[in-house]
Amino acid sequence: MPPAALSREQVVERLMRAIRRFGYDGASLAELSKATGLGKSSLYHYFPAGKDDMVRAVLEHLESELEETLFAPLRARGPVRDRLERMVETLDEFYRGGREACVLGNLVLGTSRTRFRRQLASIFDQWIDALAAALVDGGVPASVARARAEDAVVRIEGALILAGAMNDIGYFGRGLKQLPSELLAPEPSRR
Amino acid sequence: MPPAALSREQVVERLMRAIRRFGYDGASLAELSKATGLGKSSLYHYFPAGKDDMVRAVLEHLESELEETLFAPLRARGPVRDRLERMVETLDEFYRGGREACVLGNLVLGTSRTRFRRQLASIFDQWIDALAAALVDGGVPASVARARAEDAVVRIEGALILAGAMNDIGYFGRGLKQLPSELLAPEPSRR
DNA sequence: GTCTATAATAGGATAGAC
DNA sequence: GTCTATCCTATTATAGAC
């Protein structure tokens, strides 16, 4: 009834919360309507093509949010160790210590697994690139940095799965805590 | 029409294939019917409680399959290195080199995330236990073995997510290949 | 820009014949 | 043990008033 109680951005954020929780297939329009407080018709006003439009908007929003809070800080000047610690803090907050699932992981599975692949791959790629750049700044050989960055992202995604399955956020917290040291370890000593 | 073309086990295997591909929410009865070649009513004959029954059967089947092909070999006598290499081969086959998603990961996400948690946690736990036992046999201190085993499972699950998102099975293959050496590395040298 | 109402379709589940 | 037919509900999507 009242004119635009929520900004588009707020709507998208609430959609993201629902999708990361229920997944693409599990997030019905009724659920998305409830999550945003908007009627179905209002959702179609914002996103004419329905759920797919909503997910695309969620991924666009997520991409710029991560660019701002995660990727840019990783590429910034300053002690590399601090940049990595900041990444860890940001992730810990974003995933609420391992309580929240990953939007990306959710969209890679189920019937949506190919539908948003370009956007998903792009986000993962930016993350890995930014992380690898930080590691190079930290003295890790370029040939090793990319592999380590990939491994870090792999472990974050995997830890969220295990934390969910075991109902134990320790799987996420412990892995996250070790990351900075492991990522910056001198070459021969790593494994 | 003809009497029992497929054994129950074969039916369950086909259900698993569908669920690992479409997830719990994405695997409709129509899809499961198509995947098994059985009409919906036939599925309800095997699984009176519907989809949940099917998933429980899939997880039971998976558990005994993994016990036989993965956990038991990890606990068996013989060179630890060989046991780990065998695990890697088994996993590479099971996930078709990274092309197939993980049933467990799929069921941890979406609306099924809590519904089968006991079974999911039990399977992950058995895997981690068997792997940790092998590492102890291989001279890894018991205090470290569990953490390394957890990390290995985390990385396998994470690698499958990345491989799917990036449409690049290398994320799975590369990680898998390094596992045995990393798991058995002498203490101080690991990260 | 939001709502209520409604249509069309897909999903889960069951009945009953063979 | 399998099928066809059917039922009910949920889901997606649209129309049209305000």
Side-chain angles (χ1 to χ4, degrees), chain B residues 43-57:
Chain B
L43 284 176
Y44 274 89
H45 171 74
Y46 284 102
F47 311 100
K51 236 206 280 197
D52 281 24
D53 258 7
M54 300 182 211
V55 172
R56 275 189 288 270

Side-chain angles (χ1 to χ4, degrees), chain A residues 64-118:
Chain A
S64 47
E65 184 186 342
L66 292 179
E67 167 59 29
E68 195 181 321
T69 63
L70 207 62
F71 310 154
L74 276 172
R75 288 188 300 255
R77 295 182 174 278
V80 173
R81 179 93 203 182
D82 292 355
R83 296 189 225 166
L84 296 180
E85 299 286 4
R86 178 163 171 184
M87 175 179 88
V88 164
E89 282 167 32
T90 302
L91 291 173
D92 196 44
E93 199 179 325
F94 187 71
Y95 294 111
R96 290 210 311 126
R99 274 171 282 267
E100 298 277 357
C102 183
V103 206
L104 305 171
N106 245 310
L107 292 171
V108 171
L109 296 172
T111 66
S112 57
R113 72 193 180 297
T114 56
R115 204 170 294 175
F116 310 103
R117 196 179 259 163
R118 238 202 289 259

Side-chain angles (χ1 to χ4, degrees), chain A residues 113 151 155 182 189 191, chain B residues 21 151 155 182 189 191:
Chain A
R113 72 193 180 297
D151 186 52
R155 290 164 88 186
E182 290 173 7
S189 89
R191 313 182 164 202
Chain B
R21 188 158 179 191
D151 187 53
R155 291 164 86 186
E182 290 174 6
S189 86
R191 313 186 162 200

Side-chain angles (χ1 to χ4, degrees), chain A residues 5-23:
Chain A
L6 262 54
S7 70
R8 186 188 160 95
E9 195 181 16
Q10 287 174 310
V11 170
V12 171
E13 268 163 18
R14 293 181 182 210
L15 290 173
M16 184 167 75
R17 266 188 266 168
I19 288 165
R20 81 192 296 186
R21 187 159 179 192
F22 301 112

Side-chain angles (χ1 to χ4, degrees), chain A residues 1-7 38 46:
Chain A
M1 323 119 173
L6 262 54
S7 70
L38 294 173
Y46 284 102

